[in-house]
Amino acid sequence: MYDSEGSIDNEGFKPVASKPSHFKLVLSQTYMTPEVVQHVYPGSGTEDDPYLVDWIPGDAKNPYKIGTGMKWGITLIMAFGTLSVSLSSSAFSGALRQIQMEFRVSTTVSILSVSLFVLGFAIGPMAWAPMAELYGRQKIYFAMFFLATLFGGAVIASENIQTMLILRFFAGTFGSSAIVNSAGVISDIFVSKERGLAVMVYTSAPFLGPTLGPVCSGFLAEAGGWKWVGGLTVIFTGVMFLLGVVFVPETYTPYLLIRRAEKFSKMTGKVYVSKLEAGKPKKTAASVFRTSIARPWIILFFEPIVLTLSLYSSIVYGILYLIFTAFPIVFESERHWSQGVAGLSYLGIMTGQFIAMILYVFLETMYQKQIARDPSKATPEARLVPSLIGGVLLPAGLFWFSWTTYPNIHWSVSIIGSSLFGIGQVLLFISLINYCIDTYSVFAASALAANAILRALFGAAFPLFTPNMYQNLGVQWASSVPAFLALACAPMPLIFYKYGKWLRDRSKYSQEARRIMDHILRQEQSEAEKKDLAKAEAQLSSASITEDESGSR
């Protein structure tokens, strides 16, 4: 006999239905098991009182129920997929000399091969976020990653600079779906208290990728030309596209419940709706696009949390891309390094980034122990502790680098300064994204889309004025400009750490997200209580049988 968990045999609480393979969950967005079909949903199946579809206890399609190993497999695919796109954005910075020589263009025009790709990161999220709401994250990931790979391959065949720049822009636009939707996937499959390390792994991609790009491309461009650099990026994105197709299921709960409700309605002829959509107008493409395209801008300009933190992360992101134009000036022009060796100068930043990830694991472990002792400490503001450290290290590292770039000072001294920047940047990015996800949860994709839009605009603009800034101010003072910007932003994490709760309590989207998450968590708690009750009843029944047998003997 089926109940909401399966059937119970004489040995205790044990579902008869076998656990589905992960590939079944990848292929099916509804997964209608006997338990799902026979479950009693509240309602009467009419227009006025539809059946309300929700996850049943032990539901295999519930993203929170994905096995821990597969959750981390999906996280790694999301992280490396984002890494492939972010690496592609900066890889051409290591081939600017070859682009200038082949197409006979100025330095500024060649930099557009980087800037226009990054500009695509600002355009894409306005479309991919609402499309994910309509069609799910899975389909958008597949389609956009395929197109990003396709346009990346077309770049290699470009015969003039105009074609190459246009194709690079479209490759970045389609590739940006990985940056936006991947964060949403992490939010979908991990509850808040488990999300810290997953966000660290995912968030490493947007900053490790740009740093890794010129490291990989410097020697490659010097030996084979810029087209080989393009080939490297296409291979990377192509591999991640294939892995995503095979292993990544749909994870967006609102979309999954809508699909299941539609399936029920088609099967029975009665009216079923998602519990999360009950009482709301039916979604149409026009309404979703209107709402979702507007929502990132509304969140950006009317949510002080998002606006302030987006400005901060955008300045940091702009500084990172400024460095891709500044380092060739500092190390090739001033220190007379070769193109390939100059690409290795980014290893200082990368080393700092890896150190920051190790440090973040330590800080996350402390956070987990703290909330285990006192669950009330699991607030979004607790996620800001790493940013308090990063906010200090960031300007310190930039000032260190700026005033140790003289040719008579050993190169390693300035590289150490750049590693401090790398540590600060990573701690800030991970901490701020964690804070944003915990604050906006189901709206995290839109909040992060707003962040990504502004961040991409800064990342596209900063490299374009860098050559003139260095020419007019000199290496030391030009390098100090981003340091002063970082110094001006340094108090922001402390302000949010102290006053974040006050701001969240007055935030429309934060409060709505909290309401939805409370519903999901209450259901999880109810499910756990039902399991405990069933186990206790089974144990009691077993004990009664034992007593009866003893009495009869």
Side-chain angles (χ1 to χ4, degrees):
M1 176 180 176
Y2 283 111
D3 63 6
S4 61
E5 272 301 319
S7 62
I8 302 176
D9 60 19
N10 291 329
E11 297 178 357
F13 184 81
K14 182 179 179 183
V16 171
S18 61
K19 185 178 179 180
S21 71
H22 183 74
F23 297 107
K24 284 186 179 179
L25 300 180
V26 171
L27 294 173
S28 174
Q29 294 189 339
T30 55
Y31 196 66
M32 308 291 283
T33 64
E35 293 86 358
V36 171
V37 173
Q38 296 177 22
H39 185 76
V40 178
Y41 298 94
S44 56
T46 64
E47 289 285 349
D48 295 330
D49 186 26
Y51 289 121
L52 301 181
V53 178
D54 204 349
W55 298 128
I56 68 170
D59 202 316
K61 280 302 292 182
N62 185 342
Y64 287 149
K65 295 298 181 182
I66 296 174
T68 301
M70 188 51 65
K71 280 185 181 181
W72 281 101
I74 293 170
T75 299
L76 290 174
I77 291 173
M78 294 293 103
F80 277 94
T82 305
L83 179 72
S84 70
V85 174
S86 58
L87 182 149
S88 300
S89 71
S90 66
F92 276 47
S93 67
L96 296 180
R97 182 182 301 176
Q98 284 69 30
I99 293 172
Q100 292 172 46
M101 291 173 60
E102 178 163 339
F103 296 116
R104 298 184 180 181
V105 295
S106 66
T107 301
T108 302
V109 173
S110 67
I111 292 172
L112 285 172
S113 64
V114 176
S115 291
L116 287 177
F117 193 102
V118 179
L119 183 62
F121 293 173
I123 306 300
M126 290 187 285
W128 313 146
M131 287 180 70
E133 190 171 338
L134 279 171
Y135 307 112
R137 306 195 200 279
Q138 185 186 37
K139 293 177 183 176
I140 299 304
Y141 180 91
F142 295 168
M144 296 307 110
F145 232 93
F146 172 76
L147 290 172
T149 305
L150 182 66
F151 276 90
V155 168
I156 302 172
S158 301
E159 296 184 356
N160 54 65
I161 189 67
Q162 294 90 342
T163 302
M164 188 193 79
L165 294 179
I166 292 171
L167 292 173
R168 283 279 292 170
F169 169 74
F170 280 112
T173 301
F174 292 121
S176 66
S177 65
I179 297 174
V180 175
N181 284 327
S182 295
V185 170
I186 303 300
S187 179
D188 292 339
I189 63 178
F190 287 98
V191 296
S192 176
K193 66 180 182 180
E194 301 172 347
R195 198 179 291 145
L197 290 180
V199 171
M200 185 208 73
V201 172
Y202 157 73
T203 313
S204 65
F207 50 75
L208 278 178
T211 308
L212 189 60
V215 174
C216 296
S217 63
F219 287 109
L220 188 59
E222 196 173 30
W226 69 268
K227 292 187 177 183
W228 278 97
V229 175
L232 172 67
T233 64
V234 171
I235 292 171
F236 197 177
T237 55
V239 169
M240 297 318 302
F241 162 71
L242 293 175
L243 289 175
V245 169
V246 175
F247 292 106
V248 179
E250 179 56 58
T251 61
Y252 188 44
T253 288
Y255 174 75
L256 288 170
L257 291 178
I258 289 172
R259 287 297 310 277
R260 183 172 282 182
E262 291 172 348
K263 181 77 171 180
F264 268 123
S265 297
K266 187 176 180 181
M267 288 170 56
T268 66
K270 296 185 180 294
V271 181
Y272 288 77
V273 298
S274 164
K275 188 169 184 176
L276 298 178
E277 301 298 319
K280 298 180 181 179
K282 187 175 180 180
K283 291 181 178 179
T284 64
S287 66
V288 169
F289 268 85
R290 186 167 55 248
T291 300
S292 298
I293 289 177
R295 184 185 292 161
W297 295 102
I298 293 171
I299 289 179
L300 182 62
F301 290 113
F302 292 97
E303 291 282 329
I305 295 173
V306 178
L307 177 60
T308 308
L309 297 185
S310 293
L311 280 171
Y312 194 5
S313 61
S314 297
I315 288 171
V316 175
Y317 197 70
I319 292 171
L320 179 63
Y321 278 88
L322 179 151
I323 286 173
F324 299 141
T325 310
F327 270 34
I329 297 172
V330 172
F331 293 103
E332 291 184 43
S333 301
E334 296 292 314
R335 294 187 183 272
H336 308 293
W337 290 8
S338 69
Q339 184 178 358
V341 174
L344 299 179
S345 62
Y346 299 95
L347 289 175
I349 298 177
M350 188 178 298
T351 300
Q353 291 169 338
F354 279 113
I355 292 172
M357 286 191 286
I358 296 171
L359 178 59
Y360 189 86
V361 171
F362 171 74
L363 294 172
E364 176 66 17
T365 302
M366 290 180 58
Y367 168 78
Q368 293 294 339
K369 289 180 179 178
Q370 183 183 39
I371 65 173
R373 290 192 301 268
D374 184 0
S376 66
K377 298 289 186 182
T379 63
E381 285 70 39
R383 297 290 195 184
L384 290 173
V385 172
S387 67
L388 300 176
I389 303 170
V392 174
L393 290 179
L394 198 71
L398 289 170
F399 278 119
W400 181 322
F401 173 81
S402 301
W403 296 97
T404 57
T405 53
Y406 292 102
N408 62 333
I409 298 176
H410 195 271
W411 58 267
S412 63
V413 181
S414 59
I415 294 297
I416 292 172
S418 71
S419 68
L420 293 178
F421 166 78
I423 296 172
Q425 178 212 9
V426 170
L427 291 179
L428 275 167
F429 263 67
I430 297 175
S431 181
L432 297 184
I433 287 180
N434 256 322
Y435 182 71
C436 197
I437 291 175
D438 281 7
T439 300
Y440 294 99
S441 58
V442 293
F443 299 120
S446 292
L448 293 174
N451 184 293
I453 291 168
L454 195 62
R455 198 172 65 206
L457 292 174
F458 277 61
F462 274 41
L464 294 174
F465 63 72
T466 303
N468 288 334
M469 183 174 72
Y470 271 77
Q471 184 177 352
N472 294 329
L473 298 179
V475 170
Q476 287 72 41
W477 280 108
S479 299
S480 296
V481 170
F484 281 114
L485 285 173
L487 183 62
C489 296
M492 289 183 186
L494 180 61
I495 293 171
F496 280 96
Y497 185 76
K498 293 189 68 175
Y499 303 107
K501 184 180 185 305
W502 184 87
L503 289 168
R504 285 189 292 110
D505 290 342
R506 288 153 181 80
S507 164
K508 171 186 173 183
Y509 285 100
S510 176
Q511 291 301 305
E512 176 66 11
R514 186 185 301 176
R515 183 190 67 79
I516 294 173
M517 289 305 300
D518 285 346
H519 163 73
I520 294 173
L521 292 175
R522 278 196 303 271
Q523 184 189 19
E524 293 289 316
Q525 184 178 3
S526 175
E527 177 183 335
E529 290 173 354
K530 287 180 181 178
K531 284 185 177 180
D532 291 341
L533 180 61
K535 288 180 180 178
E537 289 176 349
Q539 291 171 357
L540 182 60
S541 175
S542 177
S544 299
I545 292 171
T546 304
E547 289 177 4
D548 291 343
E549 290 176 350
S550 299
S552 63
R553 286 198 296 267

